Amino acid sequence: MVRRFPLPARMLALAAVLALAACDDAGTAPTSYVQVVSGGAWVAVAEPQGMARADTWLPWLAEDGAAAAQARQLREAAGRARGAGRIEESLALEDDALRLVAGSLARAPDPLRVLVPLAALDSWTDRARERLATGRYPELEAAAMGVSAEAAAARGAMVAGDTTVAVLHIARGTILAREHSALGVGVRLLASIEERLGKPGAGESANVRRARRLLAGAREGLATGDTVRALRRAVYALQLLEEEGFGVPAPGND
């Protein structure tokens, strides 16, 4: 059973500020991206440093327990899937591993292992709101509200001394934020374009052949972590397809 150690709200706020400073990478790269194509916008928010992963809390599981073994298996499977270019599968496995670890703590993690990923959620929400101030993006707005709510619930749980509940909220907020990261958006964009290319009538014009090559490069970029370049290649492929008279509907961001 995980013991409860209530943390005064004032101390939590100070610790969160210090944790946020530790995971802040603003100023070194764009914090969000928007590409307007096919009459709509594909919007992605860069993940701040310090976002939770299964490894964040894996040391606080029972070492010889089934959950720890399963989490390691999920991580290894995710790595194999990513190496093979199966990015969607890799992301799903990583999310499964994070949920499993967050729900299987045998003891309370070190405070920074909770405060840093919590501060990262706040940083992600700030980045999303900065982008929302420049235009109307309903999907991103809903995600920002959801991530903010999970972060607030995590802080409340920590004030009450319930670390296990705080970790669960942080995990849920992290998974939601990742759906709107450059990687998450890139995966959905690629899947949409590939689906369109697989339908009858796509043909094999010069533009279509070039779009296929760009998509292959974009998928490789997502697999190796070059997400920004991958997004650019995918958008360029989409622009080529638009020239051929068929595009891909953007998410509900208009």
Side-chain angles (χ1 to χ4, degrees):
M1 178 178 179
V2 179
R3 296 179 63 188
R4 295 189 177 192
F5 297 95
L7 187 63
R10 188 166 58 182
M11 290 182 62
L12 177 60
L14 175 59
V17 169
L18 295 174
L20 183 58
C23 72
D24 185 18
D25 54 358
T28 61
T31 57
S32 65
Y33 311 87
V34 59
Q35 294 287 344
V36 179
V37 284
S38 291
W42 294 84
V43 189
V45 176
E47 291 187 45
Q49 294 181 14
M51 294 283 276
R53 296 290 185 265
D55 287 350
T56 305
W57 301 307
L58 188 57
W60 285 272
L61 271 61
E63 181 62 30
D64 56 352
Q70 187 180 353
R72 293 188 180 95
Q73 290 171 358
L74 287 169
R75 283 188 317 161
E76 292 169 2
R80 290 193 297 270
R82 183 165 298 207
R86 302 193 305 274
I87 314 302
E88 297 90 340
E89 179 183 345
S90 174
L91 284 176
L93 289 167
E94 289 171 2
D95 288 348
D96 287 345
L98 179 56
R99 290 189 192 95
L100 175 63
V101 170
S104 306
L105 296 179
R107 59 190 188 280
D110 292 342
L112 275 180
R113 288 299 186 105
V114 182
L115 291 172
V116 167
L118 175 56
L121 290 185
D122 290 334
S123 180
W124 186 93
T125 303
D126 289 343
R127 294 176 175 195
R129 287 172 176 161
E130 287 173 3
R131 174 54 63 183
L132 289 168
T134 70
R136 186 171 180 271
Y137 309 111
E139 285 193 351
L140 180 60
E141 182 177 9
M145 291 176 62
V147 173
S148 178
E150 294 291 356
R155 278 190 292 273
M158 291 193 69
V159 170
D162 199 336
T163 306
T164 55
V165 171
V167 164
L168 287 170
H169 284 295
I170 293 170
R172 285 196 285 264
T174 299
I175 291 170
L176 178 56
R178 288 190 77 194
E179 291 176 7
H180 297 270
S181 67
L183 181 58
V185 172
V187 163
R188 292 198 296 278
L189 176 57
L190 284 184
S192 297
I193 300 173
E194 289 168 347
E195 180 183 5
R196 180 63 185 87
L197 282 173
K199 291 180 179 179
E204 284 299 330
S205 67
N207 277 348
V208 169
R209 290 195 300 272
R210 191 172 184 186
R212 292 187 191 279
R213 290 194 297 271
L214 284 165
L215 287 176
R219 186 165 284 280
E220 180 182 353
L222 290 180
T224 58
D226 194 356
T227 52
V228 175
R229 182 174 296 181
L231 275 176
R232 289 172 180 162
R233 287 174 174 169
V235 169
Y236 186 25
L238 185 51
Q239 291 170 340
L240 291 174
L241 295 180
E242 284 186 313
E243 292 180 12
E244 295 297 303
F246 52 89
V248 174
N253 287 323
D254 350 307

